[in-house]
Amino acid sequence: METDGNGSMEESRSKLLLYLKLAFLAMEPSNCLLSLAIEAGGGCITPQVQNFIVNDCFTKTMKETRMNNQAYIKGILKKVIANVESSSVCAEDCLYEELSHYLTIGGPPEENNIIYREISFLSSDCSEDCSNSVNLVAALRCSSNILEGDTGCSLWPSSLFLSEFILSHPEMFSNKSCFEVGSGVGLVGIALSHVGASKVTLTDGDMSSLANMKANLELNNLCFDADSDPMHPCAQKVECRHLAWELASKVELQDQRPDIILGADIIYNPECIPDLVRVFSILLDSDSFGEDKREAPTAYIATVIRNLDTFNYFLTVAGKSMLSVVDITAKTQVPNLLPYMRSYDRSSVHLLRVSLLSE
């Protein structure tokens, strides 16, 4: 029985070390990484964990990521060293050497607010041994400058939750034409491609967000340009479109004929809600598709209700437009595929199913 216990402890430690590495690659806040490092060491950041941080988390990360994430890496190193020095554990030389390296090398230009994050979705059946349980790794080029208005180039909880939903229910999206409104960094589109959607259309009304989205598709080996080289070894074609809700024409939207419409964190500005609801109303109206009689489209929106008045206004406008909005969060099984992302508050996200009411 003692062997079994030791084996179980080793599996748990291996899982925590994997979580620590994935949390670093996802650029989790430093306090979350410290917590994982302490847990992996059984209550302190042991020499083994210190070496793991330097050799497995930092050194094996691709050069471009290390270059753009220098400030983050230096901050992590300083906090790990401070924690170790305040404990009874001996600090490994590799920590100081690594910090010295990042303090002396030149960083990216000051105007470069780009950071690289890797979001690893684990399989829903991941048990104690998760070493071979990574289902999807999405490499994302994001902006660290949210306060300057780069919200479309940032990663939000609702897109994480919507991606978990897609990956947990691949049968709902496989071989379906999927259209996302307000795609941001493109994470949801990457998840849709992974589960085998027959067509993936990503849209955004901001040109800088659209350019960043295309860069992320390239990072994940997905094609987006209709004129791209047919010999390019991309996994799947994804269409990127500029879509300003207030300017989108009925004909333009009707031509899409999606089976499923998706959106993450798109209910935030009351001034945009009438245009948003109009876009969804047209996309959900299968009668406008002409002779193409098929199952009526369905929409799924993941959202954090930050302002109750704004959300209630969305419900009011949707109701007047004959849209049914049902909160299916409690009734839908969405396993936690990101257990290492401790800053991700998935309990704050609501999953809505939107459909057109029959007259």
Side-chain angles (χ1 to χ4, degrees), residues 121-278:
F121 294 91
L122 302 183
S123 301
S124 57
D125 59 353
C126 175
S127 56
E128 281 297 307
D129 181 13
C130 295
S131 57
N132 297 311
S133 297
V134 176
N135 181 21
L136 169 66
V137 178
L140 298 174
R141 180 180 184 270
C142 303
S143 172
S144 61
N145 205 11
I146 298 176
L147 296 179
E148 292 297 325
D150 290 344
T151 54
C153 298
S154 303
L155 189 60
W156 300 96
S158 294
S159 62
L160 293 171
F161 191 84
L162 193 55
S163 298
E164 286 183 301
F165 173 55
I166 292 165
L167 295 169
S168 301
H169 300 276
E171 73 286 348
M172 294 175 59
F173 303 93
S174 176
N175 298 315
K176 295 293 179 66
S177 174
C178 300
F179 185 99
E180 188 186 12
V181 176
S183 302
V185 296
L187 177 61
V188 169
I190 295 168
L192 288 168
S193 297
H194 184 75
V195 300
S198 59
K199 181 181 179 183
V200 178
T201 303
L202 305 183
T203 69
D204 207 283
D206 179 72
M207 295 305 294
S208 62
S209 296
L210 198 64
N212 187 68
M213 184 198 309
K214 291 178 179 180
N216 282 333
L217 293 178
E218 285 189 313
L219 275 177
N220 291 275
N221 200 32
L222 296 170
C223 294
F224 60 84
D225 188 350
D227 298 322
S228 60
D229 185 354
M231 299 302 292
H232 187 274
C234 58
Q236 185 178 344
K237 172 76 187 303
V238 176
E239 184 178 0
C240 295
R241 300 173 64 93
H242 178 254
L243 182 69
W245 304 340
E246 70 278 11
L247 300 177
S249 70
K250 186 174 183 179
V251 173
E252 176 188 8
L253 294 170
Q254 287 175 337
D255 286 345
Q256 295 304 310
R257 302 189 178 194
D259 298 307
I260 299 175
I261 304 100
L262 303 110
D265 257 329
I266 53 177
I267 307 170
Y268 57 88
N269 186 345
E271 294 181 2
C272 298
I273 284 177
D275 293 318
L276 173 64
V277 170
R278 184 182 69 87

Side-chain angles (χ1 to χ4, degrees), residues 29-31 33-34 58 69-82 99 102-103:
S30 57
N31 63 310
L33 264 75
L34 281 177
F58 294 167
N69 296 356
Q70 281 184 46
Y72 174 73
I73 294 174
K74 285 186 282 190
I76 296 296
L77 281 167
K78 289 177 180 178
K79 292 199 174 183
V80 169
I81 290 172
L99 179 58
Y102 280 102
L103 289 174

